[in-house]
Structure formats: C-alpha cells, structure tokens
C-alpha cells in the first residue's frame, strides 16, 4: 500500500472485512483497526517510507488473539489484539421451581 493517510483508512476497512470473515467480535475488530492506525501513523509520516505491507494472522502464542504486522523496507512492527474476556452472565432460570416434573 502507498504510505499515505488515505491508505490507512483503506487498510482499516480491509482489516475489518478480514476479521469479520474470521468471526471476530466487534470489540476486537475495533481494537485492531485502532492498532493498525497507531502502527501506520508514524510510518506514513516518515519521509523515507513510500509503501507498506500488512499481515493479519492468528497469534501463535495467545489463543484468541490476532497478530497484526506492518512492514516497510527494513522495519517490521507487530501488535497482538486479544479477544476481550466476556463478562459473566447471570444464570438463566431453567429450574422447575414450585412444580413437579413427572
């Protein structure tokens, strides 16, 4: 991708589409888009960077995490985005209180 601000927005859209295909939760998609912008912002402002590459993969070390890697000539930066731990849900009332089951 060309290293400019329009490409950052396009890359965020590509990331969102890829993570939706992988059935990632919306929070993880948003966190990954934010991380991509954080990684690409400084690179796209550097005068010597004209283009970049992006890799999205499952983390080999953290189950449920997505690893995003951005590389340019001689530079490779990575960030892992973990799935937020879901909050405990209240138990559902599946009991037959007050009634007899035969």
């Amino acid at each position: 991708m060309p290293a400019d601000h329009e490409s950052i927005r396009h890359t965020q859209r590509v990331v969102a589409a890829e993570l939706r295909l992988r059935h990632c939760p919306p929070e993880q998609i948003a966190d990954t888009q934010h991380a991509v912008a954080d990684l690409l912002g400084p690179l796209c402002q550097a005068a010597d960077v004209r283009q970049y590459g992006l890799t999205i993969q499952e983390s080999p070390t953290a189950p449920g995490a997505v690893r995003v890697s951005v590389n340019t000539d001689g530079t490779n930066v990575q960030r892992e985005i973990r799935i937020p731990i879901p909050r405990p849900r209240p138990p559902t009332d599946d009991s037959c209180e007050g009634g007899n089951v035969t």
Side-chain angles (χ1 to χ4, degrees):
M1 298 289 290
D4 59 33
H5 290 287
E6 183 56 37
S7 292
I8 294 173
R9 288 188 288 277
H10 178 72
T11 300
Q12 288 177 301
R13 290 189 295 270
V14 169
V15 165
E18 176 65 24
L19 295 182
R20 281 188 207 103
L21 289 173
R22 295 177 187 221
H23 305 288
C24 293
E27 298 85 8
Q28 188 178 31
I29 294 171
D31 289 349
T32 305
Q33 287 179 301
H34 184 73
V36 164
D38 287 348
L39 293 172
L40 291 175
L43 291 176
C44 289
Q45 292 177 1
D48 59 337
V49 176
R50 298 193 184 279
Q51 60 185 12
Y52 63 87
L54 175 76
T55 304
I56 303 169
Q57 63 187 25
E58 291 181 33
S59 170
T61 58
V66 174
R67 179 177 289 172
V68 178
S69 302
V70 175
N71 57 54
T72 64
D73 293 333
T75 302
N76 185 6
V77 290
Q78 298 179 354
R79 185 156 309 158
E80 288 190 358
I81 312 302
R82 298 176 189 266
I83 295 175
I85 298 171
R87 295 184 205 163
R89 294 181 3 205
T92 58
D93 188 8
D94 291 338
S95 64
C96 297
E97 292 179 41
N100 293 330
V101 177
T102 56

